Amino acid sequence: MADVAVVGAGPAGLMAAEVLAAGGARVTLCDAMARPGRKFLLAGRGGLNLTHSEPLERFLTRYDRPEIAPHIRAFPPAALMAWCEGLGQELFIGTSGRVFPRAMKASPLLRAWLRRLEGLGVAFRPRARWLGFGEGRALRFEGFTLAPDAAVLALGGASWPGLGSDGAWVGAFAPEEVAPLAPANMGFRVAWSAPFAERFAGAPLKRLALSHEGRRWRGEAVVTRQGLEGGLIYAAAAALRAAAPVTVALDLRPDLDHATLAARLGGGAQSLANRLRRAGLAPAAIGLVQEALHAGAPRGDLAALVKALPLRLEAPMGLARAISTAGGLRWAALDEALMLRARPGVFCAGEMLDWEAPTGGYLLQGCFATGRAAGLGALAWLSQRASRAPAASAG
Ligand SMILES: Cc1cc2nc3c(=O)[nH]c(=O)nc-3n(C[C@H](O)[C@H](O)[C@H](O)COP(=O)(O)OP(=O)(O)OC[C@H]3O[C@@H](n4cnc5c(N)ncnc54)[C@H](O)[C@@H]3O)c2cc1C
C-alpha cells in the first residue's frame, strides 16, 4: 500500500483523496485550517452552483485554457451530477441551466463526502501548514515533514485568505513555474456620490446589459458601498481587468428598443424620477441615471442615456474579495497527468492551476475534474513505479 499525502482539503483535494483511497492508497489529507472545505462551504452560501447543464462542447468554451478540457471530458458535468447523487444529494437545474443541490448549500454534501472518505480510511490532519518541498518528494510542514510515495497539492487560489487559501504556496515554486495571481470574477470600484452609496448599498440591479468595445454581457448586479458586484460584473471582469479605469455603457432596459423606451418615458411636466419609474426602472437604476446626470451626462435624449449609461469603473476589487483567482501554476510545469515535471510523483490540481472561467458552476467543475485527474495520475504513476521496482532491484 502506497502512502500518499494530499495537501489542501478543498473540493480538488477531497476529490483527489477519494480517488486515491478508492484505488488502494493510504491517504493523509492535510490542511492549514482546523476543518476541511471552508471555501466550499462559503460557496454554498450562494446556493452552491455545482456545474452547468449546457452541452459539453459549449461548456468547454467557458475556460480560458484548452489544457483543462481533457480533464473535464474525463469527468464531465453529467458525471459530477451522478457523483453528487451518489452522495445522497438531490440536484436541480435552474432556469439558467445552472445545477444546484436541492439543499442550496454545501454542508450536507460535504458531510456525506467526509463520511465516505473516513470509510475509505483517509486520515485528516488539521492545522498542517505546508511550507514547501524538501528532498525529492518530501513535504515540509510547520513543525513536521512527510515523505510520502506520492503527493497531490490542491492549495487553491488566493481569494478569501482567511478561509485558508492564501497563495503562499507560490513561494515554493520557481518564478517561471507560476503565472502571477490576479483577481477573477471580482467586483469593480465605482466612485459613487455619498448619498447614492448611502441609499443604495445592497440594492440589486436586475436585467442589465453592460457593453465595452463591441462586447456585451447581460445579467444582474448589486450596488455596494465601494462599487458594483454580481454575475454581470463577474462575467465582464476578465475583459475589463486590465482596462480599468474604464468607462462602460450600462443598458438599464435591455429588453426595450430606443423608440419604445422613449414612448414609455414620455415627457412634459413630470419629474425625472416619475418618468423613469413609469419606464420600469427600479429605484437603484433611477439613482444611477441621476448620478450620471450629476456627473454631466447630456440631458437631451433620456432614452439614449438609459440605454447607454456611461459608468466609470475605477479599479478591480482586490484578490482578497474575489470569487476566484486567475494565474497560478503554469501548464508547462505539468505533464498531461498533472504531475510536476520538476518533481516526479507530485501532482497538482484545482484553482492553484493557471486557468480561469466565469461563475456558473465552471469553477467547481474544473476543481473536481482536475482533482480527480491528479488522483488518478498519482495512482498510475505509483503502479508504474511498483512494476518497474523489481526489475530495477534485480538489475
Ligand atoms: C464567495 C464565493 C462563492 C463561490 N461560489 C461558487 C459557486 O457557486 N460555484 C462554483 O463553481 N465556484 C464557486 N466559488 C469558487 C470555488 O469555491 C473555488 O473555485 C473552489 O473552492 C476551489 O477549490 P480548490 O480545492 O482548488 O481550492 P480551495 O477550495 O481554496 O481549497 C484549498 C485548500 O488548501 C488549503 N491550503 C492552502 N494553502 C495551504 C498550505 N500552505 N498548507 C496547507 N493547506 C493549505 C486551504 O486551507 C484550503 O482548504 C466561490 C468562491 C467564493 C469565494
Side-chain angles (χ1 to χ4, degrees):
M1 214 190 218
D3 276 315
V4 183
V6 176
V7 192
L14 291 168
M15 188 55 98
E18 177 177 342
V19 165
L20 281 157
R26 190 166 34 227
V27 179
T28 305
L29 175 61
C30 302
D31 199 286
M33 304 301 283
R35 313 270 286 268
R38 294 290 306 276
K39 191 181 280 181
F40 189 53
L41 290 170
L42 175 70
R45 291 231 303 253
L48 196 69
N49 182 189
L50 285 161
T51 187
H52 201 290
S53 61
E54 67 193 355
L56 183 60
E57 294 312 313
R58 179 145 13 112
F59 189 98
L60 292 170
T61 65
R62 311 296 184 184
Y63 296 85
D64 66 330
R65 300 300 304 241
E67 291 90 340
I68 198 168
H71 307 301
I72 291 175
R73 281 188 198 283
F75 190 66
L80 172 55
M81 290 167 70
W83 173 85
C84 288
E85 283 161 354
L87 280 170
Q89 304 306 304
E90 203 186 322
L91 306 180
F92 74 95
I93 300 178
T95 47
S96 58
R98 295 187 290 164
V99 178
F100 298 88
R102 265 268 167 248
M104 289 296 279
K105 54 184 178 180
S107 43
L109 172 57
L110 184 60
R111 265 199 307 274
W113 198 3
L114 293 175
R115 266 200 308 275
R116 176 184 283 179
L117 293 180
E118 207 184 324
L120 287 167
V122 173
F124 180 56
R125 190 158 181 171
R127 298 187 187 87
R129 172 166 294 283
W130 181 68
L131 300 177
F133 297 104
E135 278 293 299
R137 283 182 302 284
L139 302 173
R140 289 188 300 107
F141 291 82
E142 225 164 59
F144 67 99
T145 299
L146 290 182
D149 297 307
V152 175
L153 303 179
L155 301 164
S159 73
W160 295 77
L163 300 181
S165 308
D166 57 9
W169 58 263
V170 168
F173 290 85
E176 63 276 11
E177 286 180 309
V178 184
L181 305 188
N185 293 303
M186 68 295 186
F188 278 78
R189 291 186 189 284
V190 180
W192 304 127
S193 69
F196 180 90
E198 185 65 35
R199 179 154 177 224
F200 293 115
L205 290 160
K206 296 195 188 281
R207 287 195 309 278
L208 287 184
L210 183 157
S211 304
H212 175 64
E213 290 186 342
R215 293 187 68 185
R216 189 172 166 89
W217 297 265
R218 286 188 68 149
E220 299 183 358
V222 182
V223 177
T224 67
R225 278 193 175 273
Q226 294 84 23
L228 278 176
E229 296 273 344
L232 170 70
I233 308 300
Y234 302 154
L240 300 176
R241 185 169 48 211
V246 58
T247 299
V248 298
L250 283 187
D251 185 343
L252 303 175
R253 285 307 319 260
D255 303 321
L256 298 183
D257 62 26
H258 178 274
T260 314
L261 178 61
R264 294 244 186 120
L265 284 164
Q270 287 192 67
S271 73
L272 176 75
N274 270 340
R275 291 172 67 200
L276 292 166
R277 207 171 296 126
R278 263 188 30 189
L281 268 69
I286 295 173
L288 279 179
V289 176
Q290 286 165 333
E291 286 276 284
L293 290 171
H294 283 142
R299 292 179 169 263
D301 185 345
L302 189 56
L305 183 62
V306 170
K307 290 207 61 71
L309 186 101
L311 183 74
R312 188 175 145 95
L313 304 177
E314 302 291 345
M317 295 287 184
L319 184 49
R321 298 297 285 193
I323 299 287
S324 61
T325 303
L329 200 56
R330 292 187 197 276
W331 293 93
L334 301 161
D335 72 5
E336 303 69 43
L338 303 181
M339 184 171 80
L340 284 171
R341 292 187 192 281
R343 282 183 193 275
V346 180
F347 295 74
C348 299
E351 203 178 310
M352 74 181 292
L353 306 185
D354 180 15
W355 58 275
E356 63 175 307
T359 56
Y362 308 102
L363 299 167
L364 283 174
Q365 178 75 50
C367 294
F368 285 120
T370 54
R372 180 175 174 275
L376 289 175
L379 282 178
W381 184 83
L382 286 164
S383 92
Q384 267 172 25
R385 202 179 64 139
S387 63
R388 276 197 310 267
S393 55

